Amino acid sequence: MTIYDIAKSAGVSASTVSRIINHKEGVRESTRRRVEALLREHHYSPNETARGLVNQATRIIGILLMDIRTLHHTDGVYYIERELEKLGYCCIIMNSGSTDAEKAEYIRRLSRRRVEGAILIGSGFQNDTVRQAISEYLPDTPVVLVNGMLDLPNVYGVLSDERSGMERCVERLVAAGHVHPAFVIDTQTPSNLLKRAGYEQGVLRCCPGYAPVVVHSGSSLAEAADATRALMREHPQVDGILYAVDLLAIGGIRALLEMGRKVPDEVAVIGVDNSIYAEICTPRLTSLDNKLLDTSITAAQTLIQVLQGNRAPKNVMIMSTIAERETG
Amino acid sequence: MTIYDIAKSAGVSASTVSRIINHKEGVRESTRRRVEALLREHHYSPNETARGLVNQATRIIGILLMDIRTLHHTDGVYYIERELEKLGYCCIIMNSGSTDAEKAEYIRRLSRRRVEGAILIGSGFQNDTVRQAISEYLPDTPVVLVNGMLDLPNVYGVLSDERSGMERCVERLVAAGHVHPAFVIDTQTPSNLLKRAGYEQGVLRCCPGYAPVVVHSGSSLAEAADATRALMREHPQVDGILYAVDLLAIGGIRALLEMGRKVPDEVAVIGVDNSIYAEICTPRLTSLDNKLLDTSITAAQTLIQVLQGNRAPKNVMIMSTIAERETG
DNA sequence: TTGTAGGCGTTATCAG
DNA sequence: CTGATAACGCCTACAA
């Protein structure tokens, strides 16, 4: 069902039908009504692909994540989609995976789809391969990074100050008498490395004479529990643990309790993300709230401003807070 | 950068460039190499919109959910996107919201985008408004419902037998001596209504002389806790509670523990979805595993079969199991 | 082996 | 007010 079909059965030309579909004026009221009736009757639905071609505007936004299952990104995706949808854009979502080659490949796919803008969620996109892919394949498309930044004229960044947030977490532990904090990290994302740097900075500042203890872990509950057991075995003096992500912290708490350590009295625990996990577990988890939803909201608003031809700040940082609960 | 630009700078015609891009044979090796070099140099990326128009194939799949934030749907979305992506499709994701009018509107949007297939996730799409919208706007597009079915020639369904699963949950409680089970429900989705029916059937069969107790709750942790307190106040004999969703159960457990009821000894609790929440909370939650990820996987495979012109079963049901943990 | 012409569904620009 | 006509970028006969 094309405008030609409609035009034929209405006895008018395609241009007239087009005018009516697009609510342009300069159409006799009677023809308009006649054609509109036909449109409804045939359930005509305009072909956005064809429109995109002639209008040179696809009204498509690309959302790229390494893995949409990451809990704290889903909320952001939801918000971004809903905001953009209001403006008539539709969102294609892609899970790139975590290798550089994959990320670059997906930048190219966004390019082929001629997206009018893109939002890259996760600090993992802050890297040089991605930077180059963008400069080659999306040089004129506004791109917003959630929790990352890239020095390119068309790339905007919305960051969370996880680094200083982590430092404040150390401060908090020390103030409560936990002067031997450790840090558990899983993936080596820029974000996690910042958290680590914040932890080390905090130790340097607040725990004179104490050497930072950093432990690597897998990303699952069980692996975090294992890592925690090993940590406490090798560093029995540790009396506070910062985990790069809430879920790790929950695995850790479980291990600590099983080892008979009291949380938080003997060992305090703080996670990151302030996710619903922190609310659900027992004891309820104190967590660094890195405002991931706010960063996504800001990213959506930044993109919208740019799409509408307005100015937007190139990089902004959103301040984190500590959501205080029972574990630290 | 179009094939014409490339053609001009290579001194050939656009069709030759097109042939090379699409790896067709019948091109002299030397021209091929020359053009390919140019393609790379200019970072040419084919316009999928234009391709879609001439090929009459957008290679776009629509994924529709009421709300992507629903935890147990995210995994499915991930899997679906990854599977379809392998075949060169890209996925547009839309959050429709929960009203009938919104759902119909989004069906229309999928139609305008000329998606080649659609996956509707959530039992909420099993309703007559959606059915009509599909029959009017996507009459020839393969559509797969996750956890729902619709009697239309182009609509496939992948269901979870939550009804009988719930019935087995009642059986389980009764076998453990909890002969006065209640049911807590939040939204009135077809899925939740099936769970309720299963509960009532189970009571009828296993608890002679006992009248079903069904309580309505909001969807948040706090509301579930409130509903549970009210439930225990008004029906003190209740010794087992089935919750329509894990998260409700977690709120409920919290309330029960605060009221000094032992879980599961005095009151057993079972949730639905077997989500990570069930693993994280304390005590760990027994949950009806409705195999939502399997339904999404099957949905993706069904769609792929149909897209490739193969036959696929019109409606399949995946059997649920009970994930036994500590609460019931 | 390569080029030309026509068309995919729509919109925009002119004439009439 | 309405209707031709020419794009948009690409692909596919068909012709050379």
Side-chain angles (χ1 to χ4, degrees), chain A residues 4 60 97 152 154 168 218-219 283 302:
Chain A
Y4 274 88
I60 296 179
L152 238 30
N154 57 318
R168 277 178 280 123
S219 295
T302 299

Side-chain angles (χ1 to χ4, degrees), chain A residues 246-275:
Chain A
D246 281 344
L247 204 62
L248 298 181
I250 290 172
I253 291 173
R254 190 160 293 174
L256 290 169
L257 295 178
E258 283 171 12
M259 294 168 83
R261 306 299 192 103
K262 293 206 192 332
V263 177
D265 297 346
E266 294 172 32
V267 184
V269 172
I270 301 184
V272 177
D273 281 346
N274 191 27
S275 61

Side-chain angles (χ1 to χ4, degrees), chain A residues 58-89:
Chain A
T58 56
R59 312 239 45 147
I60 296 179
I61 300 297
I63 300 179
L64 199 53
L65 312 92
M66 287 165 49
D67 188 333
I68 197 184
R69 292 172 299 182
T70 312
L71 179 69
H72 47 279
H73 288 158
T74 313
D75 283 4
V77 169
Y78 174 82
Y79 186 88
I80 292 168
E81 195 276 333
R82 297 245 78 176
E83 284 302 300
L84 260 356
E85 170 274 323
K86 284 184 206 156
L87 278 72
Y89 292 96

Side-chain angles (χ1 to χ4, degrees), chain A residues 101 103-113 133 137, chain B residues 45:
Chain A
K103 291 173 193 164
E105 165 62 18
Y106 278 84
I107 301 287
R108 254 171 276 143
R109 292 193 190 193
L110 293 177
S111 156
R112 287 208 287 267
R113 290 286 172 186
Y137 288 94
Chain B
S45 119

